């Protein structure tokens, strides 16, 4: 009687915890295909408790893409005697869709997989909260772009004056040369120079428009070298007493939003320039592969980061500049972490500072490195 009372007590406790956590236990006999669910699994899938179930029926309750991924992982686990965890989308008997965190473990006997079991937990609220956070991050990134555009406008206008003035000069020279019979090669050179200058002006305008365009961001595999080269050209426009160096392996690729990563690099370069306070400054950009991630570092030979703000340098509204808003590094970190990377800052032994961040090389890497 005492054992029965104790068992009933623990069962009652389990049911309470299961209900609070929205988590249930399941098991499948691999020889017979027979399924066993606890009550919470029935509730998550919107199926009447105690109803006889089979695997084919339950598979119809999964969203097709989730079902394909689950079946792939299940087959691998059964073949290798291992387990897996996967967030999957289901379509319960009731209306709507839900997210379930499925954990599975294979049990073997004499080296043969005989049973697979695990838990199913309703994580719909968690996924919804994550999606809302991503939406807020995207909006924050866009707002940062908009505020940066005002500061960059005068610099961009100054940079555009040079190629456009060159266009005018080349074409004026072409008019004077045209009547001369021996001016064929000179005329071609002037026209080609005008076209090159015009193309440069167009490239600058397109880059600015792309950065100011609002969007959710499109992550693709992009070659890092050209991305850093374009960002450097934009960030250093009109800045004097500055030297740059880039050490980026040819063909190095990352899985990222091209425009957002350019914004990060532009922020870091302009921060380094402003820290120099108009003095001569050298900035170096280096990128290399660390396995499944690429590490990018922007270093300078300026005064470095004050020790008293180093610990919170990436927090919003923390700035080392008298007139700074303190949002550049905060937004940069938000962008990097939204890509699954991590951002760090250090002072260099010989002076100056280095800010580094990581980006995944492939789309499968989503956990901060």
């Amino acid at each position: 009687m005492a054992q029965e009372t104790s068992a009933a007590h623990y069962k009652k406790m389990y049911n309470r915890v299961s209900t609070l956590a929205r988590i249930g236990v399941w098991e499948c006999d691999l020889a017979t295909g027979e399924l066993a669910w606890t009550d919470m699994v029935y509730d998550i899938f919107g199926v009447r408790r105690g109803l006889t179930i089979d695997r084919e029926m339950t598979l119809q309750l999964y969203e097709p893409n989730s079902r394909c991924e689950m079946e792939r992982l299940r087959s691998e686990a059964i073949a290798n005697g291992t387990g897996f965890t996967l967030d999957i989308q289901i379509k319960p008997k009731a209306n709507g869709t839900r997210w379930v965190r499925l954990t599975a473990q294979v049990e073997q006997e004499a080296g043969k997989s005989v049973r697979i079991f695990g838990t199913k937990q309703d994580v719909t609220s968690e996924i919804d909260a994550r999606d809302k956070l991503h939406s807020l991050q995207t909006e924050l990134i866009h707002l940062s772009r908009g505020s940066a555009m005002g500061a960059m406008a005068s610099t961009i206008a100054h940079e555009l004056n040079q190629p456009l003035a060159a266009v005018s000069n080349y074409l004026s020279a072409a008019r004077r040369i045209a009547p001369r019979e021996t001016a064929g090669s000179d005329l071609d050179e002037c026209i080609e120079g005008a076209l090159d200058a015009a193309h440069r002006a167009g490239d600058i305008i397109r880059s600015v428009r792309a950065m100011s365009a609002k969007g959710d961001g499109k992550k693709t595999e992009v070659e890092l070298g050209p991305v850093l080269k374009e960002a450097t050209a934009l960030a250093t426009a009109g800045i004097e007493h500055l030297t740059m160096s880039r050490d980026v392996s040819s063909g190095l690729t990352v899985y990222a939003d091209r425009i957002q990563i350019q914004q990060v690099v532009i922020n870091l370069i302009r921060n380094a320039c402003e820290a120099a306070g108009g003095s001569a400054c050298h900035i170096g950009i280096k990128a290399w592969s660390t396995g499944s991630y690429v590490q990018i570092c922007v270093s300078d030979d300026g005064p470095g980061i004050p020790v008293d703000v180093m610990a919170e340098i990436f927090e919003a509204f923390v700035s080392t500049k008298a007139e700074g808003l303190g949002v550049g590094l905060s937004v940069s970190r938000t962008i990097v972490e939204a890509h699954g990377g991590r951002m760090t800052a250090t002072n260099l032994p010989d002076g100056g500072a280095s800010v580094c961040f990581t980006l995944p090389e492939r789309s499968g890497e989503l956990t901060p490195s």
Side-chain angles (χ1 to χ4, degrees):
M1 288 292 294
Q3 290 179 344
E4 291 179 359
T5 301
S6 179
H9 173 70
Y10 283 118
K11 182 178 181 180
K12 184 177 182 180
M13 288 180 60
Y14 167 79
N15 288 334
R16 287 174 174 173
V17 173
S18 178
T19 300
L20 288 173
R22 297 285 293 169
I23 187 170
V25 178
W26 61 274
E27 180 181 280
C28 179
D29 188 305
L30 297 178
T32 65
E34 181 180 353
L35 280 176
W37 284 359
T38 60
D39 288 346
M40 183 50 61
V41 179
Y42 281 99
D43 294 347
I44 291 173
F45 280 82
V47 177
R48 179 172 56 83
R49 292 184 179 184
L51 182 70
T52 302
I53 52 174
D54 58 67
R55 191 162 183 275
E56 288 302 319
M57 181 194 80
T58 60
L59 287 177
Q60 301 306 312
L61 300 176
Y62 290 91
E63 186 273 332
N65 291 331
S66 292
R67 181 171 65 243
C68 290
E69 180 66 6
M70 179 187 68
E71 291 290 79
R72 183 184 69 81
L73 294 176
R74 183 179 187 272
S75 297
E76 290 180 359
I78 292 173
N80 301 321
T82 56
F84 65 91
T85 299
L86 177 67
D87 287 349
I88 54 179
Q89 196 171 24
I90 64 170
K91 298 179 179 180
K93 290 291 186 180
N95 293 332
T97 60
R98 304 199 70 77
W99 282 94
V100 173
R101 180 158 298 147
L102 168 65
T103 62
Q105 183 63 48
V106 171
E107 181 180 342
Q108 292 189 318
E109 294 179 1
K112 180 181 179 181
S113 298
V114 296
R115 188 174 295 103
I116 185 168
F117 63 94
T119 61
K120 287 186 170 77
Q121 182 180 13
D122 188 334
V123 292
T124 304
S125 297
E126 178 184 331
I127 299 296
D128 288 345
R130 187 179 69 188
D131 290 344
K132 289 179 181 178
L133 176 60
H134 174 72
S135 177
L136 290 173
Q137 288 175 334
T138 300
E139 186 65 22
L140 177 61
I141 290 168
H142 173 66
L143 289 173
S144 173
R145 291 180 196 162
S147 63
M149 294 314 298
M152 292 177 62
S154 59
T155 300
I156 295 299
H158 172 77
E159 183 69 7
L160 282 174
N161 281 336
Q162 297 178 20
L164 292 178
V167 170
S168 178
N169 292 336
Y170 275 121
L171 292 178
S172 296
R175 290 195 200 97
R176 291 194 301 270
I177 294 172
R180 295 164 47 188
E181 295 180 359
T182 60
S185 61
D186 292 338
L187 181 60
D188 288 341
E189 183 179 350
C190 289
I191 293 175
E192 185 174 350
L195 289 174
D196 288 343
H199 289 159
R200 185 185 174 204
D203 289 342
I204 293 173
I205 293 172
R206 280 191 292 272
S207 296
V208 173
R209 285 178 175 174
M211 284 192 64
S212 60
K214 183 175 181 179
D216 293 336
K218 303 296 182 182
K219 296 185 181 70
T220 58
E221 288 189 4
V222 295
E223 187 175 353
L224 189 59
V227 171
L228 296 180
K229 183 178 180 180
E230 292 174 9
T232 301
L234 277 172
T236 59
I239 298 178
E240 299 179 352
H241 312 300
L242 171 67
T243 58
M244 292 286 308
S245 64
R246 286 194 303 272
D247 182 6
V248 183
S249 302
S250 177
L252 195 62
T253 61
V254 293
Y255 183 75
D257 181 308
R258 180 188 190 96
I259 300 300
Q260 290 185 6
I261 297 311
Q262 285 183 332
Q263 182 182 355
V264 172
V265 176
I266 289 170
N267 283 344
L268 298 184
I269 292 175
R270 295 196 71 86
N271 277 351
C273 292
E274 291 169 0
S279 302
C281 178
H282 175 80
I283 297 175
I285 301 178
K286 186 176 181 180
W288 67 96
S289 175
T290 62
S292 56
Y293 282 79
V294 170
Q295 177 103 348
I296 301 117
C297 288
V298 178
S299 304
D300 64 71
D301 57 0
I305 302 170
V307 177
D308 58 337
V309 300
M310 176 66 80
E312 52 184 12
I313 192 66
F314 296 114
E315 299 299 324
F317 309 117
V318 174
S319 177
T320 61
K321 295 167 286 188
E323 297 179 356
L325 293 177
V327 296
L329 286 178
S330 175
V331 171
S332 295
R333 183 181 67 171
T334 298
I335 292 173
V336 170
E337 292 182 350
H339 280 74
R342 189 183 300 278
M343 179 170 274
T344 58
T346 57
N347 282 323
L348 300 176
D350 297 330
S354 179
V355 179
C356 300
F357 61 96
T358 57
L359 294 172
E361 289 188 311
R362 295 174 297 276
S363 62
E365 297 291 343
L366 296 176
T367 304
S369 61

